[in-house]
Amino acid sequence: MRIAVVGGGITGLVAAYRLRMLLGAEADILVLDRAQRVGGILHTGEVAGEPLDLGAEAFVGRRPEVPGLLRELGLETQLVLPAGKRPLLWSGGVAHALPERTLMGIPSHAEQMRGLVDDATVDWIAAETTRPFEWDPESDTDVYSLITDRFGAQVAERSVDPLLGGVYAGSSRSIGVRAAVPTLAAALDAGAPSLTHAVAAALPPPSNTPVFGGIRDGYRVLLDALTERSGARIVTDSPATRLARSPRGWVLDPFGAVDAVVLATPAPVTARLLRTVSPAAATAAAGIELSSSVVVALALPRDTPLPDNSGILVATGEPLRAKAFTLSSRKWPHLADRGTALVRASFGKFGDDSTQSWPDDKLVTAAAEDLAHVTGVAIEPVGATVQRWPGGLAQYAPGHLDRVAAIEAAAADLPHFALAGAYLHGVGVPACVASGDTAARRLAAALS
């Protein structure tokens, strides 16, 4: 039995590993990727001679998928937790403390925003429960429209955008409420009389459990373990060009006949490969757009007096080129022991791919100058690494859940076939792990 897993990101590698666990040694599992390495947007590179994740650097620790997978692979000692420091928000040329007890930056009461927004906006938020409110449970809208209408544009641009930008490399204008804040949508659907009431209902109970987790030696440890334990044949730098049905299974050009397929590719690639075998699924997938970003990792002298915070998020409209900084040596205790202070600067948002074409030296200079501006500290890098992520993140636009439902319904009747990927049910690492695992289990059940 020959199974092709198209896409060698974390989703595809999890699918290959789970298929091996379920089908045993006899299965011939082939993992194909168009890039020169597996891992997708998970990549552990080097900065100043030491490893550092240059894609995703954390995962939501309150979800069970990644800790569970680490335990299963015997890597539980690699799990690390952040130091518990909070990020700052840079807005109006000033650093503000990130308000606590918000929902993706959406406040639960007006005073949380005091100082971050003007007094008129604080009053507007405070009076929100007194204004007429309508919500159609059948509808979806972009986050910006909802927040601006009820709380004002300053809340969207100064509080919500910085957080959404970190998750999707997008903004409140490009992301839908149902996809980005499902608990809020559920509270609105249930009849919340105002946005204020809906946020209060959607907030999780207070908890001391760390929100995020990380991997001590970088995601490459997990990727290497999945690759080894899957026993799959890995073929990189080899894009799949065509997928077609055959009397005995599938034909995947240029690789030949296979019995089953897991398609764990980005939405545009999925749309192209499904064009002849499931036109309806292809059309729906083609409607999902991607955002690009760049990560610039800086190594600074160890005694650089950076703020004692986990990072600095930049509000929309600020005259900076970077959209965020992760103060890695402050955020992660295991990195604080290094010989240099490590900072990651992020560039690029949906609709603006200009930084993809900047030369490395321009990106490093911009990162250092912007970091100096927001910290007031002299920034003198002793090492730097640039990592570009063209089309790295799917945009969960309004109507995304309906679009995904259409994709999955249209592909459901394809025999010995499964879809997986970050464009379906979440862009974070836990969601990708879950997607690959679910696809493998569905396919294994069909093959059995």
Side-chain angles (χ1 to χ4, degrees):
M1 181 185 300
R2 192 181 193 208
I3 305 169
V5 178
V6 187
I10 182 67
T11 305
L13 292 179
V14 167
Y17 163 73
R18 186 58 64 203
L19 285 166
R20 177 67 66 205
M21 295 300 103
L22 294 171
L23 299 177
E26 298 304 313
D28 180 9
I29 302 173
L30 178 66
V31 176
L32 313 168
D33 201 278
R34 60 181 177 174
Q36 295 181 343
R37 59 167 183 83
V38 295
I41 62 170
L42 299 187
H43 175 51
T44 307
E46 284 195 353
V47 183
E50 296 193 87
L52 186 71
D53 280 319
L54 300 175
E57 51 97 36
F59 55 85
V60 177
R62 292 174 182 173
R63 287 189 59 153
E65 291 89 351
V66 177
L69 185 60
L70 291 174
R71 286 193 298 271
E72 187 175 339
L73 294 168
L75 298 174
E76 58 267 34
T77 59
Q78 283 284 330
L79 177 64
V80 292
L81 300 176
K85 303 180 190 298
R86 293 182 60 78
L88 298 170
L89 278 175
W90 183 263
S91 178
V94 178
H96 305 263
L98 181 73
E100 298 190 25
R101 298 289 293 162
T102 69
L103 189 67
M104 194 62 77
I106 306 171
S108 55
H109 59 84
E111 287 303 313
Q112 290 174 294
M113 296 289 107
R114 181 77 66 184
L116 181 61
V117 301
D118 60 29
D119 290 347
T121 299
V122 173
D123 293 342
W124 183 250
I125 299 168
E128 192 263 339
T129 58
T130 68
R131 299 193 298 273
F133 178 66
E134 293 184 3
W135 173 261
D136 180 0
E138 302 297 321
S139 70
D140 193 10
T141 185
D142 62 274
V143 176
Y144 182 85
S145 295
L146 175 64
I147 300 306
T148 299
D149 178 53
R150 304 305 298 178
F151 288 162
Q154 290 183 8
V155 174
E157 295 170 353
R158 300 180 186 183
S159 184
V160 180
D161 274 356
L163 293 169
L164 284 178
V167 177
Y168 297 99
S171 74
S172 58
R173 290 174 171 83
S174 64
I175 305 299
V177 171
R178 293 192 179 279
V181 209
T183 56
L184 179 65
L188 293 169
D189 290 345
S194 68
L195 181 58
T196 301
H197 284 93
V199 172
L203 277 172
S207 172
N208 293 324
T209 303
V211 176
F212 298 108
I215 299 179
R216 181 181 303 279
D217 295 321
Y219 274 111
R220 69 181 180 188
V221 173
L222 176 57
L223 300 174
D224 289 348
L226 289 169
T227 300
E228 179 182 356
R229 294 280 293 275
S230 73
R233 291 185 293 127
I234 308 292
V235 181
T236 55
D237 202 16
S238 301
T241 58
R242 187 178 73 97
L243 180 65
R245 295 281 301 278
S246 76
R248 299 183 59 183
W250 295 91
V251 175
L252 183 66
D253 291 340
F255 307 100
V258 297
D259 298 294
V261 174
V262 175
L263 207 53
T265 48
V269 178
T270 301
R272 175 171 54 80
L273 291 174
L274 288 179
R275 192 170 297 134
T276 58
V277 297
S278 181
T283 298
I288 299 175
E289 298 183 273
L290 305 181
S291 180
S292 302
S293 61
V294 180
V295 172
V296 179
L298 303 176
L300 310 175
R302 196 172 190 275
D303 59 356
T304 303
L306 296 169
D308 193 24
N309 297 89
S310 61
I312 304 168
L313 308 176
V314 179
T316 295
E318 292 299 304
L320 297 174
R321 293 149 294 185
K323 67 177 183 181
F325 300 92
T326 302
L327 306 180
S328 303
S329 296
R330 297 282 195 254
K331 182 175 181 178
W332 299 103
H334 69 287
L335 296 180
D337 296 332
R338 299 258 181 109
T340 56
L342 298 169
V343 177
R344 290 171 24 128
S346 299
F347 295 82
K349 281 189 176 183
F350 179 66
D352 181 9
D353 292 343
S354 60
T355 53
Q356 294 291 311
S357 62
W358 290 10
D360 286 4
D361 59 349
K362 181 177 180 179
L363 285 162
V364 171
T365 297
E369 289 178 350
D370 283 2
L371 181 60
H373 182 75
V374 299
T375 62
V377 171
I379 301 299
E380 301 174 351
V382 296
T385 301
V386 174
Q387 178 65 55
R388 290 171 175 80
W389 296 113
L393 284 171
Q395 293 299 285
Y396 280 34
H400 181 79
L401 301 186
D402 291 338
R403 190 172 289 113
V404 169
I407 295 168
E408 294 180 327
D413 293 333
L414 297 175
H416 297 171
F417 177 85
L419 288 171
Y423 67 94
L424 292 170
H425 299 290
V427 298
V429 177
C432 290
V433 170
S435 182
D437 188 87
T438 298
R441 292 181 187 277
R442 183 182 300 121
L443 191 61
L447 292 170
S448 298

